[in-house]
Amino acid sequence: MVNVLDQEAPNSFVFSEYLLIPMPTGKKATDLRELLQFLREMPDPVLNYHLWQSRLTIAPPTLEYPNDFALWAATGLHDDLLAERLSNIDPFDYENLTQVREAMVEKLEEYLWDSPHYPQVWPGYELYLCEASAVVLHSGITARTLGEFCVALQAVGLDSVYFHFVEARRRLGDRKMDDFSRWIADNFTLPSLVTAIGEIDIYFYSLAEIRDTILALVQEQAGTTSDQTE
Amino acid sequence: MIKLSDYEPIAGKEVVSQLYRLAEHLGKVRLVHVNSTRVGGGVAELLESIIPLWSQLGIEARWEVIEGTSYFFETTKAMHNALQGQRVNLTPAMLQHYREVNAENARKFTWEADFVVVNDPQPAFLIEDMRPQGKTWIWRCHIDVSRPDRNVWRYLRRAVSLYDASIFSMAKFSQLLPHPQYLMYPSINPLSDKNRDLTPEEVQAVFDRLGVERDKPIILQVSRFDSFKDPVGVIQAFRLARRYTPCKLVLAGGEATDDPEGARIFAEVQEAAQGEPDIQLLLLPPDSHLEINALQRGADIIVQKSIREGFGLTVTEAMWKGKPVIGGAAGGIVMQLQDYYTGFLVYSPEGCAFRIRYLLHRPEMSRRMGQKAKEFVRQHFLVTKNVRDYLTLMILSRQHGGRVVEL
């Protein structure tokens, strides 16, 4: 019986690298009203950056908030209530960025309507609006088996984990599907592994932790399968 | 000469292989970096590290330095201070001389290039006379222009607006400009004399040569003697901390040819440190890389208490030596130094003193923070990342506005 880690897939997994450069726009929000105005007019790439891509830049060591708007509400405006409300806007609940934007605008309008005062930031703590450009590059690393996949996943950079896992969920529009899960689903009969990887909540792990979690799930699957065959 | 493969054990094999693959996609290009000094200061050090790597990647690169009079450098230093928010008086005569020096340099430069990267304000106006000699012009701003003097920025903006793109070190430094702006973090070279590993004997030899005794824990700040680096504030912090724990302070500063203000600030610091045997001031020549490396490795705590800072390379260098850093919450330091994780951000001499006391009192915590600091630098601030960013930017700039380029 071939170990599950050594089973050959009909199609190899090809690792890509995602080289992102943030692009500041020169615009900044100094209070909530300004943020609301910016949100209404914000081009999609700016919204995309602050919802997703900023994870690839220098992030705080622990991820407290799932997007830059919530993080800024907490650290710039010192408004934890607003930060909690913005944290609970999940882009996967909407079909496109326009709908996400509308939901955020609605949330901020509602919040401002109910608040007699609105907080302002200290100079230097404004929200600096950015977008980003990226180059997607073939890493030259491929995997034919799950064993090779584990070795490769440890060799590639975290940008690759971002591209195939976080960016893939956005690209595929499915909070439980990514490039890794899809490859495993298409090439092996391991539905429980696909489900387990799909259930990783990207908001509660750093990219390094996502990598470690996937590796642990694959290893666990290999152990389970080998127990069953013995 | 340092080879790209020498970075593999430090940055990772994949990181280096990525550079070759990017360069291959870019193909043959001619690249020129321009700045205003060949020695001293962070920009010159960055260029010294990066230039030899370009040829190994098949890119024809040159480093050009503009020449100027002492009046020119006084003007550009005042301009630098104004861009960092200080009130200065730039007279029309000074600005005229500044433009003339740029024009004179432009007449001497005969090179042609696909990409021209002009660093900081000193050579910014070269583009006025040299536009046809470069296909893509990029202005690389290393300084904290988050709250510039309005008039000086308006003046400089005339030149910057002519460029095809700009690069800033922090999003908060960016401005409203008519071209794409990019974010790039300055980096350090882990193999240079300033950052390479040293043996304990090499470290001790430097301390002996500089006459610094290691009889007490050493607090160190390495930076130019510049008012924005607040050396007098560091002395105040040291005096407060020493009331609790015996320690000594070393302030080591280099000199740069484009900084005429250094001697005056050094005299002020000398006065503040007068009659204090536990404070040592070291005025080091610009090429004292090995000495700075040894001082950083031999110090117990490293301080960079800047009140304005583009990106404090000395912070990154100290972190690379596995040291906890106490940094002023200014400019890029806020990002370089993860507060409570790889060191501490402070806002005053009092805050700095309190953190010095904490780290001297908790050596285990100090060691842990230092280890995290080194890994943080490995991931974000090595020269290989800088090369990667430039290659990415050059590929992107050929796409004319495309946000994602699949190669």
Side-chain angles (χ1 to χ4, degrees):
Chain A
M1 186 77 186
V2 181
N3 185 307
V4 69
L5 292 176
D6 300 326
Q7 277 176 28
E8 284 211 357
N11 299 301
S12 300
F13 188 87
V14 179
F15 284 87
S16 291
E17 292 161 323
Y18 188 72
L19 315 182
L20 178 126
I21 300 197
M23 299 177 67
T25 62
K27 293 178 182 163
K28 59 182 177 185
T30 58
D31 62 39
L32 216 45
R33 281 181 198 280
E34 271 187 12
L35 175 62
L36 179 57
Q37 194 53 36
F38 278 129
L39 259 174
R40 288 187 181 121
E41 302 162 355
M42 198 176 274
D44 282 355
V46 179
L47 191 57
N48 191 32
Y49 178 85
H50 291 290
L51 286 174
W52 303 93
Q53 291 171 315
S54 64
R55 285 186 69 143
L56 254 190
T57 62
I58 293 175
T62 48
L63 297 169
E64 291 239 24
Y65 296 99
N67 61 62
D68 284 355
F69 305 109
L71 183 67
W72 181 64
T75 57
L77 298 174
H78 300 285
D79 188 337
D80 292 343
L81 175 64
L82 177 65
E84 286 177 2
R85 291 194 177 161
L86 291 173
S87 297
N88 276 295
I89 293 180
D90 185 346
F92 287 115
D93 288 338
Y94 307 93
E95 281 177 17
N96 51 45
L97 280 174
T98 307
Q99 287 184 8
V100 180
R101 178 202 315 278
E102 283 166 5
M104 295 199 94
V105 166
E106 173 63 22
K107 192 69 84 183
L108 286 185
E109 281 178 347
E110 181 188 57
Y111 190 80
L112 281 166
W113 187 273
D114 292 338
S115 310
H117 308 291
Y118 60 94
Q120 299 206 333
V121 290
W122 286 0
Y125 288 85
E126 297 89 351
L127 178 65
Y128 298 91
L129 300 176
C130 291
E131 52 190 313
S133 286
V135 167
V136 181
L137 180 68
H138 191 316
S139 70
I141 297 177
T142 57
R144 189 92 193 190
T145 65
L146 280 172
E148 287 175 11
F149 174 80
C150 289
V151 173
L153 193 55
Q154 291 173 82
V156 294
L158 292 175
D159 57 277
S160 202
V161 177
Y162 173 87
F163 179 71
H164 290 298
F165 201 74
V166 181
E167 157 66 18
R169 285 186 176 186
R170 190 197 69 81
R171 191 178 352 111
L172 301 169
D174 184 340
R175 63 158 68 92
K176 294 199 171 179
M177 187 49 77
D178 56 85
D179 294 343
F180 300 144
S181 305
R182 178 174 269 189
W183 177 68
I184 295 168
D186 290 349
N187 289 277
F188 305 95
T189 318
L190 296 167
S192 59
L193 179 59
V194 173
T195 307
I197 293 176
E199 277 170 2
I200 296 172
D201 192 323
I202 53 170
Y203 290 126
F204 302 132
Y205 298 92
S206 67
L207 293 170
E209 287 168 338
I210 287 175
R211 166 162 53 195
D212 292 345
T213 308
I214 295 170
L215 287 169
L217 286 171
V218 175
Q219 295 295 345
E220 193 184 303
Q221 178 70 46
T224 314
T225 315
S226 117
D227 287 348
Q228 283 168 355
T229 52
E230 277 167 13
Chain B
M1 191 178 74
I2 296 171
K3 294 193 297 293
L4 254 171
S5 56
D6 296 336
Y7 291 94
E8 285 180 358
I10 300 164
K13 218 171 162 179
E14 295 312 314
V15 169
V16 174
S17 112
Q18 190 178 62
L19 301 182
Y20 283 111
R21 280 178 284 120
L22 280 169
E24 200 183 316
H25 278 286
L26 185 64
K28 272 215 166 309
V29 293
R30 297 160 302 166
L31 168 66
V32 177
H33 294 272
V34 188
N35 81 322
S36 63
T37 178
R38 206 167 281 281
V39 283
V43 180
E45 279 175 33
L46 280 172
L47 292 177
E48 204 179 320
S49 299
I50 218 172
I51 292 289
L53 303 183
W54 288 131
S55 61
Q56 296 176 50
L57 289 165
I59 287 165
E60 192 187 314
R62 44 197 300 163
W63 174 9
E64 297 288 352
V65 177
I66 58 160
E67 287 171 4
T69 60
S70 56
Y71 186 44
F72 170 79
F73 287 118
E74 275 166 37
T75 303
T76 56
K77 180 68 185 179
M79 191 179 256
H80 178 110
N81 289 349
L83 291 168
Q84 296 212 128
Q86 216 175 51
R87 252 186 204 293
V88 296
N89 184 27
L90 278 171
T91 63
M94 288 167 96
L95 292 174
Q96 194 188 338
H97 184 68
Y98 164 66
R99 295 281 282 276
E100 279 167 8
V101 169
N102 268 267
E104 273 168 36
N105 277 282
R107 280 193 287 277
K108 278 189 301 183
F109 290 145
T110 53
W111 41 259
E112 294 195 344
D114 298 297
F115 294 94
V116 185
V117 180
V118 174
N119 291 274
D120 285 335
Q122 296 94 332
F125 275 86
L126 284 179
I127 192 171
E128 277 197 325
D129 300 302
M130 296 186 65
R131 191 71 177 86
Q133 285 172 240
K135 282 186 193 150
T136 303
W137 285 74
I138 299 164
W139 187 58
R140 173 57 171 118
C141 177
H142 295 267
I143 55 184
D144 177 350
V145 286
S146 53
R147 289 176 190 279
D149 176 281
R150 185 168 173 270
N151 289 332
V152 174
W153 171 247
R154 275 182 62 192
Y155 183 81
L156 184 65
R157 194 180 184 280
R158 275 190 254 166
V160 174
S161 297
L162 301 174
Y163 285 74
D164 300 299
S166 343
I167 304 171
F168 293 92
S169 301
M170 294 269 289
K172 69 157 78 166
F173 302 162
S174 70
Q175 301 289 332
L176 292 170
L177 289 167
H179 56 232
Q181 301 177 59
Y182 296 92
L183 199 61
M184 219 185 259
Y185 307 123
S187 60
I188 60 159
N189 182 356
L191 297 173
S192 69
D193 273 350
K194 209 174 199 178
N195 297 303
R196 69 176 171 85
D197 281 343
L198 296 180
T199 62
E201 293 74 27
E202 283 177 296
V203 172
Q204 188 55 49
V206 170
F207 273 77
D208 291 344
R209 198 162 66 241
L210 295 175
V212 180
E213 257 192 273
R214 298 168 81 182
D215 52 340
K216 293 173 189 159
I218 293 173
I219 321 296
L220 171 74
Q221 172 158 305
V222 176
S223 66
R224 290 188 198 191
F225 289 96
D226 177 327
S227 54
F228 286 125
K229 315 290 184 193
D230 198 19
V232 175
V234 178
I235 292 175
Q236 288 169 358
F238 164 74
R239 288 203 163 114
L240 287 169
R242 196 201 27 196
R243 289 165 55 212
Y244 297 87
T245 315
C247 52
K248 69 195 308 177
L249 174 67
V250 177
L251 292 174
E255 288 174 317
T257 52
D258 61 349
D259 183 7
E261 212 182 45
R264 183 174 60 79
I265 304 291
F266 184 69
E268 281 177 23
V269 176
Q270 267 182 317
E271 202 183 315
Q274 212 166 29
E276 182 59 80
D278 279 334
I279 301 179
Q280 278 187 268
L281 307 182
L282 304 172
L283 191 57
L284 302 170
D287 59 350
S288 309
H289 304 312
L290 187 69
E291 285 76 7
I292 287 169
N293 187 349
L295 285 170
Q296 287 170 328
R297 288 179 191 278
D300 295 88
I301 298 170
I302 299 181
V303 173
Q304 183 61 56
K305 215 199 91 45
S306 304
I307 46 179
R308 278 295 171 111
E309 187 71 72
F311 211 84
L313 276 180
T314 51
V315 171
T316 311
E317 288 158 12
M319 288 167 72
W320 182 244
K321 276 95 182 184
K323 303 289 172 173
V325 179
I326 301 172
I333 296 178
V334 176
M335 179 176 287
Q336 288 171 272
L337 198 164
Q338 302 263 291
D339 201 10
Y340 287 86
Y341 184 68
T342 66
F344 292 110
L345 290 174
V346 295
Y347 301 81
S348 62
E350 291 85 348
C352 184
F354 195 69
R355 297 311 185 190
I356 291 173
R357 284 171 54 199
Y358 176 87
L359 290 173
L360 288 178
H361 198 71
R362 299 281 304 271
E364 176 54 25
M365 182 61 83
S366 181
R367 198 183 57 78
R368 276 216 301 269
M369 280 184 158
Q371 281 172 344
K372 285 178 191 157
K374 182 162 187 173
E375 288 315 305
F376 193 68
V377 173
R378 195 190 308 277
Q379 201 166 347
H380 298 287
F381 301 127
L382 294 185
V383 67
T384 40
K385 174 73 165 55
N386 224 218
V387 173
R388 173 187 130 165
D389 285 346
Y390 271 118
L391 289 167
T392 307
L393 196 153
M394 287 190 275
I395 289 170
L396 284 166
S397 71
R398 285 184 166 174
Q399 306 301 315
H400 306 293
R403 286 285 172 268
V404 178
V405 177
E406 293 207 28
L407 299 177

